[in-house]
Amino acid sequence: VSCNSAKITLKNTDMKVFKSSNSTEVKIITTLTLIIFALIIFTIFYGQTAEINIYLKIFIFLIITIGIIYFYSNSLKEIKLTDKFLILKKNIGQKIIDLHNIESVDKIEFSNLTSTISSKGFFGFNGNLMDNSITLINNRRKIVRISTLGKKYLLSVDNPEELIKDIENKKNYS
């Protein structure tokens, strides 16, 4: 169960940080998508598109810009582990999971993710799977599955084994 970050104060607690780096695959997909978006915008404003209404041009520009900001903001940056919480820090915002609500943590091997809604590699594989799991994945070869009382999360972290060990240790001592 997630908690609103504004309600929880995390002062003076031991905190361990786990980075979530983008794989080469995510970097390539993101770069190519940004190039395509830039070409679309350039073509619309500077190409031979005089017949396109200026309002439509602005609308397309805004949709592309909002999409880029949305997918960037939802990309996982790092995971912080405290004595009581697992904090999924995104580029903008965070999700906080109470360690008492975690039922299981395990590593998943490479996965082709069957998603209902996803960014498909643009700033990571972020979205929802068919089983209603929330995905915050930057590297499909370093995935950790966290099952809580209410939700399942698939995350990628640079050191999945260390994260799993540390979560299990914190759960056993609390």
Side-chain angles (χ1 to χ4, degrees):
V1 177
S2 302
C3 300
N4 187 340
S5 59
K7 296 179 184 174
I8 298 172
T9 305
L10 298 172
K11 294 179 182 175
N12 300 326
T13 56
D14 288 333
M15 188 178 306
K16 190 165 184 182
V17 177
F18 297 87
K19 293 290 181 193
S20 181
S21 302
N22 289 332
S23 66
T24 304
E25 175 186 25
V26 168
K27 290 177 184 174
I28 290 170
I29 291 170
T30 301
T31 302
L32 290 177
T33 305
L34 288 172
I35 290 170
I36 290 168
F37 285 159
L39 289 173
I40 290 170
I41 291 170
F42 181 80
T43 302
I44 287 174
F45 283 98
Y46 299 107
Q48 295 180 353
T49 57
E51 66 276 357
I52 296 178
N53 185 323
I54 187 67
Y55 296 112
L56 179 60
K57 291 178 182 181
I58 292 171
F59 177 75
I60 292 170
F61 173 78
L62 286 174
I63 292 296
I64 290 173
T65 303
I66 289 168
I68 290 169
I69 292 168
Y70 174 79
F71 287 118
Y72 171 78
S73 67
N74 282 308
S75 181
L76 186 64
K77 183 177 180 180
E78 62 191 14
I79 298 171
K80 296 177 181 180
L81 180 62
T82 69
D83 291 335
K84 296 182 181 184
F85 302 104
L86 182 69
I87 303 166
L88 310 178
K89 181 80 173 105
K90 299 186 279 185
N91 283 321
I92 300 174
Q94 63 187 15
K95 274 197 175 303
I96 298 177
I97 301 170
D98 191 325
L99 290 180
H100 293 301
N101 293 333
I102 294 177
E103 295 176 332
S104 66
V105 182
D106 56 326
K107 187 175 188 297
I108 296 179
E109 297 305 317
F110 176 82
S111 176
N112 265 338
L113 306 168
T114 309
S115 57
T116 53
I117 300 172
S118 174
S119 60
K120 300 292 186 192
F122 183 55
F123 290 112
F125 294 88
N126 307 311
N128 292 0
L129 296 184
M130 299 287 264
D131 69 350
N132 221 15
S133 295
I134 295 171
T135 61
L136 296 167
I137 298 172
N138 293 328
N139 187 336
R140 294 193 299 170
R141 298 193 186 278
K142 297 181 178 182
I143 300 175
V144 175
R145 177 178 39 216
I146 299 174
S147 298
T148 67
L149 296 172
K151 293 185 179 179
K152 293 181 198 169
Y153 298 89
L154 292 177
L155 319 166
S156 65
V157 63
D158 295 349
N159 269 331
E161 293 85 4
E162 185 179 350
L163 175 65
I164 292 168
K165 182 185 75 150
D166 287 353
I167 290 173
E168 291 295 337
N169 287 341
K170 298 262 185 194
K171 281 182 57 176
N172 290 336
Y173 287 119
S174 56

